[in-house]
Amino acid sequence: MRVVLLGPPGVGKGTQGRRLASERGWALISTGEMLREAVSQATPLGLEARRRMDRGELVPDDVMIGLIRERTQQADAAHGFVLDGFPRTVPQADALETMLEERGQRVDAVALLQTSEEEVVRRLSERWECPVCQKAYGLEAPPRVRGRCDEHPIAALIQRADDAPETVRRRLEVYRRQTEPLVEYYRKLGRLREVPGTGSVDEVFGFLKRALNGAAART
Ligand code: AMP
């Protein structure tokens, strides 16, 4: 199954996507993660992307589409994947439809995670990440030991540069203007599943699975 996770920054796409992918044996494809990796390695992509990411703006569509075209063809994605952070614009969604169609595939379901804007801002300001495995911790999912990753206790948790309040506001604006139109886009295609994003990580995961099981039964 190929699933897209849609929703504003901080709603829990990364956390839920990671869990879903590992439970089902699918690849987790997070474009934000791929870009952060490129930035930390100072690759040409990283150098190009960094300025925009730091400002909370989007990286150009053609760059992102090329990245996803390659990544979705890797062996670990053959049995299914979860997309976290892609598509983020209508041209990206169109390109995804076309590239999958060329391979006789399609996006089976789009899970829209929803919560209030205050909740998103609150969560982002409390979000901490492991620099080794990128696992996210926050109010709903604190680490066992304060400031340390459960799996890599040697590494001190860090905050993402783009989680600074000013950049968060900009990212939310960008979401509303450029990404939110995808809600109607996928609703019209009959693939949208609305998932409440408020509650504990376990609760939201339960809602997500229920929404996807419904999608699988309908396809
Ligand atoms: P995320 O981790 O999904 O919040 O992404 C962090 C940043 O990476 C975003 O604010 C964008 O600058 C960039 N980014 C991630 N995915 C995309 C995408 N599909 N299109 C454009 N920019 C992206």
Side-chain angles (χ1 to χ4, degrees), residues 31-32 35-36 53 57-59 64 85-86 88 92 160 162 171:
T31 43
L35 292 172
R36 281 187 289 280
M53 292 172 76
E57 289 165 9
L58 296 186
V59 174
M64 299 312 300
F86 187 97
R88 252 181 163 96
Q92 290 182 15
R160 271 172 52 174
D162 60 353
R171 285 164 65 205

Side-chain angles (χ1 to χ4, degrees), residues 34-110:
M34 291 166 78
L35 292 172
R36 281 187 289 280
E37 176 71 22
V39 168
S40 77
Q41 311 242 323
T43 65
L45 167 67
L47 297 175
E48 183 181 347
R50 178 165 194 173
R51 201 168 37 96
R52 289 199 171 81
M53 292 172 76
D54 283 351
R55 289 190 193 149
E57 289 165 9
L58 296 186
V59 174
D61 285 338
D62 56 339
V63 174
M64 299 312 300
I65 291 165
L67 209 61
I68 283 295
R69 186 184 301 284
E70 259 182 43
R71 180 64 188 89
T72 51
Q73 291 185 95
Q74 286 171 8
D76 65 333
H79 300 295
F81 53 75
V82 181
L83 284 176
D84 157 25
F86 187 97
R88 252 181 163 96
T89 64
V90 170
Q92 290 182 15
D94 283 339
L96 181 64
E97 285 294 298
T98 311
M99 80 175 76
L100 292 180
E101 214 173 281
E102 283 165 5
R103 301 177 203 158
Q105 301 173 342
R106 62 175 219 157
V107 169
D108 298 292
V110 177

